[in-house]
Amino acid sequence: MKKLNVIYLTLVLSLTSNLNFSCLAQSWNDEKIDSLINLMTIEEKIGQLTLFTSDWATTGPTIRENYLDDIRSGKAGNIFNAHTAAYNEKLQRVAVEESRLGIPLLFGYDVIHGYKTIFPIPLAEAASWDLNLIEKSARIAAEEATAGGLHWTFAPMVDIARDPRWGRVAEGSGEDVYLGSLIAGARVRGFQGKDLSSPNTLLACAKHFAAYGAAQGGRDYNTVDISRHALWETYLPPFKSALDAGVATFMTSFNELDGVPASANTYLLKEILRGDWNFQGFVVSDYTSINEMVAHGFAENERSAAMYAFNAGLDMDMQGAVYYNYLKELVDQGRVSVNDIDTSVKRILKLKNALGLFDDPYRYSDIEREKSVILSEENRTAAREIARQSVVLLENKNNTLPLSKTEKIALIGSLADSPIDMLGSWHGSGQSTDVISTLKAFTDQKMNFEYAKGSDMEGSDTSLFREAVDKAKNADKIVLVAGEHFNMSGEAASRAHIRIPDIQIQLLKRLLALHKPIILVLINGRPLCLEWESENMAAILEAWQPGTMAGLAITDVLYGEYNPSGKLPITFPVDEGQIPVYYNMKNTGRPMDPDQKYTSKYLDIPNAPLYPFGYGLSYTSFQFSQPSVDKTEINNNDSLHFSITVSNTGSVAGHEVVQLYMRDLVGSITRPVKELKSFKKIYLEPGNSQKVSFTITPDDLKFYNSDLVKIAEPGEFLFGIGNSSDVELNLKVTLK
Ligand code: NOJ
């Protein structure tokens, strides 16, 4: 830090006369940043536009091995996949004390759902429908990550995803624009807090801009070909919401849009992001996505790719080394302007400054804070809370659940004893040794049970079946923990058949032959096709990949310590042949009629999914009164007030998510059959009732017309309130 200031002081003094040097050790203003840029060579400027991975972890091809030399020479201004207070301090010292200008490094990392205390995967967190909890999870992740030397997370991932074959559905908030947008904002607020200069806040990054979730066939990195209207209506709103919450950075996506890869897409980066949205932060590419424009067939070579990307407004190159290799040459040839480079450098330096790195580049490397914050009791308790609130009860025949502690349980399945698989595919620096598995939770809490592995997660070895069947024979109920291992979802993990692997199903069938109630606890990173399971299981708990506290959260729900309240943030199909299937589809010109051949349907499977968006059961029962609305006709500036009374008619307390859906019956652009417009999560003791109110403003009636202008068109609207997207819309309102 001393060298940093001395160098700045000397160099700045020699070149400028109007700076207030007394505040050099405090946050820098724009002029000071400009004067620093004036001191930089073109190589040093390009260094600030360059992000290299350390050799600690990689999520793609590793290109550079000598990143320390690059830091020293000022050619790498940003590093990712390096963490811990000690290691990052070591790297920071190289930048600050050994590089010519001593500009601090920015350290990035994929802190997607926790740093060391791992929370449920984002899709699971979305199932909690609890924005405060989701914000808190991001806040804790930021506290831990910053204590581990980090400044920047590559999160939130805000891609709307409607194809469960795509492994990256695990990382987002599901299929819905409204829910996804609210969660995007909550996560940004959680990561960034109120003040970026506070040492426990991180820069967030809205990714992947844009429409990555629309990869054809759910195959990762595949082509995207959607209408402009779908882009604005479905894929952009969560990004806008992240922006409105103050997100500091954006990451481009791997896919093309309108035939132009996102990393060189001027429509996305210049017209929308910088133009319409006036975004002030910086944009980073995804891992080698600039280089990949050659394979896309968009750029003839990496030099051109660098030029197209930079000129389209992409500030920072992640791991591709194409800015590093070609930008100077492109400047010399007059194909890239130095002014534009200065603008990008300034965006990056401003954020380094906002983090307080010019005041103290080591402020995020505090070993004492690292020890006290990471995996603290408080953080683990919060992780347990959100994990149990993320669990969705899909089936519960004859009130099989909750279990009673007197019942003898056969706990079966390799996933009951596989800590790493509880963490999901992006588990940051989370360790399997910190995870409480279901087996451990059962053991520690001295449940009345016997455990058998039963089978591996995949393969064909049936040799362990017998032991599992024998143990199950002695039990009152069977709890089978089954599903996907952590690498079956996430990046580069698309699946054509989204089912529980066959060996686990074979085991399940053997257990079923015992005619005992089976409770299936699902561990998975995406919706699965569960038609057979829904018919044959006594109960199904969707636990997703619940994180560090997995076993405790699952046990809390199984034994009724927590009454499940999760609601699906994404539709579960009956069969892969239905995909894409999501609740707010269009009606079509020939809506499904089972008695009419020439209507929109399949001959061999139904149109309706197995479990719709918004669905989830509880151990209690909730009764919804007839909803009411205060007006049946409104003008463009009237609001609507809806209310409904919800009663807990069962015998235990519980949360319910009360959901309001709308349909705009006629539009100049056809409207979906349902759109979620509002929701409230309430808590009711048995026998209690609560009146739940919603206000719908004229803004909520708007959609993008063919000129991509948001308007509300006069006509009839239907509304309904219920506990899933299956609700009937029975309140009619006319907009005059
Ligand atoms: C590629 C992924 O697409 C992106 O989400 C991630 O942030 C980067 N790799 C860095 O790990």
Side-chain angles (χ1 to χ4, degrees), residues 137-191:
S137 142
R139 180 86 294 281
I140 291 173
E143 273 166 10
E144 290 199 356
T146 49
L150 292 163
H151 311 136
W152 179 27
T153 176
F154 304 136
M157 189 274 219
V158 303
D159 298 308
I160 295 297
R162 294 175 167 180
D163 192 327
R165 293 172 297 183
W166 191 48
R168 303 199 79 168
V169 294
E171 293 171 54
S173 301
E175 72 184 40
D176 187 51
V177 179
Y178 177 74
L179 181 63
S181 299
L182 290 177
I183 293 177
R187 291 208 163 109
V188 170
R189 284 191 295 277
F191 288 129

Side-chain angles (χ1 to χ4, degrees), residues 374-674:
I374 288 177
L375 283 165
S376 70
E377 204 43 49
E378 203 184 330
N379 294 357
R380 286 158 54 86
T381 305
R384 178 177 182 170
E385 183 55 33
I386 190 154
R388 59 194 206 166
Q389 295 216 30
S390 303
V391 173
V392 185
L393 180 65
L394 297 176
E395 297 287 343
N396 194 18
K397 294 169 196 148
N398 306 317
N399 293 327
T400 305
L401 290 175
L403 302 174
S404 133
K405 289 198 175 155
T406 57
E407 285 169 322
K408 174 104 201 261
I409 303 300
L411 178 65
I412 316 272
S414 46
L415 279 163
D417 186 25
S418 183
I420 187 73
D421 290 303
M422 301 302 109
L423 297 180
S425 64
W426 284 113
H427 45 254
S429 69
Q431 302 288 315
S432 57
T433 44
D434 295 321
V435 172
I436 300 180
S437 68
T438 309
L439 176 58
K440 181 161 168 45
F442 267 58
T443 310
D444 291 353
Q445 294 179 67
K446 301 193 171 41
M447 299 307 185
N448 181 10
F449 81 107
E450 273 197 289
Y451 171 70
K453 179 175 171 187
S455 77
D456 293 330
M457 278 168 237
E458 290 186 286
S460 54
D461 181 1
T462 57
S463 62
L464 297 174
F465 280 16
R466 172 173 288 266
E467 184 206 357
V469 170
D470 285 347
K471 286 190 173 157
K473 274 184 192 153
N474 300 325
D476 299 314
K477 289 179 180 169
I478 301 165
V479 172
L480 179 78
V481 188
E484 301 183 314
H485 60 70
F486 80 93
N487 261 331
M488 287 170 90
S489 60
E491 188 176 350
S494 296
R495 296 180 70 201
H497 302 290
I498 50 171
R499 296 177 184 249
I500 298 174
D502 190 52
I503 187 74
Q504 298 180 57
I505 294 293
Q506 282 184 45
L507 171 65
L508 193 45
K509 288 187 172 161
R510 292 284 288 273
L511 296 168
L512 199 61
L514 299 175
H515 301 294
K516 303 209 175 206
I518 303 183
I519 295 115
L520 174 62
V521 176
L522 287 169
I523 302 295
N524 47 312
R526 59 152 63 74
L528 297 174
C529 293
L530 300 165
E531 194 182 18
W532 178 84
E533 294 83 342
S534 72
E535 284 160 10
N536 291 288
M537 298 297 103
I540 305 180
L541 267 190
E542 174 53 83
W544 314 100
Q545 289 152 333
T548 306
M549 304 301 274
L552 288 172
I554 290 170
T555 313
D556 286 347
V557 175
L558 284 173
Y559 284 89
E561 286 297 312
Y562 183 78
N563 180 1
S565 58
K567 300 281 179 179
L568 294 178
I570 187 164
T571 303
F572 276 42
V574 166
D575 184 280
E576 292 89 347
Q578 294 179 317
I579 297 169
V581 55
Y582 47 93
Y583 84 93
N584 63 348
M585 299 191 97
K586 300 287 185 78
N587 203 37
T588 81
R590 293 187 177 192
M592 205 273 272
D593 178 344
D595 302 324
Q596 297 293 329
K597 176 171 168 61
Y598 295 102
T599 60
S600 181
K601 59 182 183 305
Y602 302 100
L603 293 177
D604 48 355
I605 52 170
N607 279 13
L610 184 62
Y611 300 118
F613 173 84
Y615 168 85
L617 304 173
S618 163
Y619 294 155
T620 191
S621 48
F622 294 101
Q623 203 177 52
F624 284 58
S625 71
Q626 271 304 317
S628 65
V629 59
D630 63 342
K631 302 179 195 78
T632 52
E633 277 194 357
I634 49 167
N635 289 315
N636 241 328
N637 41 16
D638 290 329
S639 287
L640 291 167
H641 300 100
F642 292 87
S643 62
I644 191 164
T645 301
V646 181
S647 311
N648 182 344
T649 51
S651 54
V652 287
H655 291 98
E656 178 61 301
V657 181
V658 187
Q659 305 161 38
L660 182 145
Y661 292 87
M662 179 192 96
R663 176 170 179 189
D664 180 351
L665 281 172
V666 178
S668 59
I669 296 283
T670 58
R671 310 303 307 137
V673 291
K674 268 173 201 161

Side-chain angles (χ1 to χ4, degrees), residues 59-61 80 110 159 166 168 171 207-213 215 219-224 251-257 259-264 268 284-296 298 314 318-320 426 491-492:
T59 52
F80 69 120
D110 289 285
D159 298 308
W166 191 48
R168 303 199 79 168
E171 293 171 54
K207 72 184 190 184
H208 307 82
F209 196 60
Y212 185 31
R219 207 181 74 207
D220 207 4
Y221 316 122
N222 203 6
T223 306
V224 164
M251 185 189 293
T252 58
S253 52
F254 286 122
N255 56 281
E256 63 175 57
L257 193 74
V260 180
S263 294
L268 281 176
V284 64
S285 69
D286 201 348
Y287 205 112
T288 61
S289 66
I290 307 178
N291 317 52
E292 289 162 27
M293 293 200 284
V294 176
H296 272 288
F298 183 77
L314 208 172
M318 181 195 287
Q319 191 58 13
W426 284 113
E491 188 176 350

